[in-house]
Amino acid sequence: VGCNVITLDINAVINTPTTWTAGYVYVVPGRVDVSSVLTIEPGVVIKLKNSGAYITVLSSGRIIANGTANNRIVFTSLLDDSHCGDSNGDGNATQPQKGDWESMNINGNGSEFRFCDFEYGGRRIYRVINGSSESFTFDNCTFAHTLDDNSTSSFAFNVFLRNSAQVITNCAFYDNNIPLQMYIKYQLSNTNIFHNPNNPSEKNKRNGIWITGASNSLDGNTVQFNITEVPYVLNNYYYVTAPSNLIIGQNVVVKSVKTSDGLSRA
């Protein structure tokens, strides 16, 4: 089913409270900077035009994208006709490919994404989402079909998760190279899955939770490795220094990338 198409400016700026309305496809041909509140209604489809297209939430901005189980919000390629039909008007001449659009970068506090799908992103900087110490929520979202550059630098969700105000729950990661990268101090919910919920055999190429960041980075926290579906993959050497604690649950697998990576109690 086709939807009405609204094409944004090549360098769009959202600096006043704005709502993207259900029934429309919003086409991003270049860059969108969000410096105010962008509310995205359930059922909205956002299509990014090319490998240089991306959305940045600035420090003063946030996105509120709360879909529903029956009316999801979709971020995808302009070539993806499976959502709201043939938005670029070329019939069946083109099909979506991994890396058709670039990324989303979150630098502000309070963004919310519920029942959202992120598909076909990741070209050039190989990520869909980037953030640091800011607060955000991703719940019941999917991350699929992101660019695979056949290296250990290609992540679907490349967030340096740092604190409990960064919430990732009930999300699904599949058909990516590496699904998720995070800091060792973050407690990742075991409600997340690393396969297609509609096809459990469809997983990720390097299926694991990749741990990054400098040594001694638990910062006094108690962290549990409690996900058993995929291994935790250490990409550095980590000293667990008191009063920090790292609790590794039963049947959890921990792997190291290099012989110099690992864990020890300091």
Side-chain angles (χ1 to χ4, degrees):
V1 178
C3 299
N4 294 319
V5 175
I6 295 176
T7 301
L8 279 66
D9 294 337
I10 190 73
N11 290 306
V13 177
I14 297 175
N15 53 19
T16 58
T18 300
T19 299
W20 287 357
T21 307
Y24 290 91
V25 169
Y26 291 82
V27 174
V28 177
R31 172 175 179 167
V32 177
D33 285 342
V34 180
S35 59
S36 183
V37 179
L38 171 60
T39 301
I40 304 175
E41 294 183 344
V44 169
V45 175
I46 300 95
K47 294 189 178 183
L48 293 98
K49 186 175 182 179
N50 53 51
S51 62
Y54 63 98
I55 299 170
T56 296
V57 180
L58 302 177
S59 58
S60 57
R62 59 184 175 135
I63 292 178
I64 306 299
N66 289 325
T68 69
N70 296 320
N71 207 12
R72 300 179 71 89
I73 295 168
V74 179
F75 296 79
T76 189
S77 165
L78 181 59
L79 307 183
D80 185 358
D81 296 348
S82 67
H83 301 286
C84 272
D86 180 20
S87 303
N88 65 341
D90 70 349
N92 296 321
T94 55
Q95 300 295 323
Q97 303 293 327
K98 295 182 177 185
D100 273 351
W101 58 282
E102 187 178 296
S103 64
M104 178 180 291
N105 305 287
I106 296 177
N107 300 298
N109 282 303
S111 288
E112 300 176 11
F113 299 88
R114 293 182 173 87
F115 295 99
C116 294
D117 299 324
F118 299 87
E119 301 179 352
Y120 300 107
R123 183 171 291 281
R124 297 200 304 180
I125 56 174
Y126 315 127
R127 63 182 178 240
V128 174
I129 308 296
N130 176 43
S132 55
S133 61
E134 295 74 20
S135 64
F136 54 70
T137 296
F138 288 88
D139 181 63
N140 281 286
C141 295
T142 63
F143 300 86
H145 319 308
T146 55
L147 182 70
D148 177 7
D149 70 346
N150 199 34
S151 79
T152 57
S153 300
S154 178
F155 301 88
F157 198 129
N158 182 19
V159 179
F160 296 137
L161 302 166
R162 300 172 189 262
N163 59 63
S164 59
Q166 297 176 332
V167 178
I168 303 175
T169 49
N170 303 299
C171 291
F173 301 83
Y174 62 90
D175 192 29
N176 307 296
N177 180 34
I178 294 172
L180 175 68
Q181 174 177 269
M182 70 180 197
Y183 274 17
I184 195 171
K185 64 182 275 187
Y186 183 79
Q187 180 72 51
L188 184 65
S189 169
N190 61 7
T191 62
N192 298 291
I193 62 173
F194 298 85
H195 61 269
N196 185 342
N198 299 315
N199 178 13
S201 66
E202 186 176 21
K203 301 180 181 179
N204 301 281
K205 184 174 182 179
R206 293 177 171 87
N207 212 15
I209 301 161
W210 285 56
I211 308 297
T212 189
S215 301
N216 301 308
S217 57
L218 271 73
D219 294 338
N221 295 312
T222 294
V223 175
Q224 295 187 22
F225 285 0
N226 56 11
I227 294 174
T228 58
E229 180 185 357
V230 296
Y232 292 79
V233 181
L234 304 177
N235 200 17
N236 206 329
Y237 197 91
Y238 299 96
Y239 296 92
V240 182
T241 305
S244 300
N245 290 287
L246 178 62
I247 301 171
I248 300 175
Q250 292 184 351
N251 300 315
V252 169
V253 175
V254 180
K255 296 183 177 182
S256 296
V257 176
K258 307 180 295 294
T259 56
S260 58
D261 299 331
L263 289 167
S264 70
R265 176 77 179 186

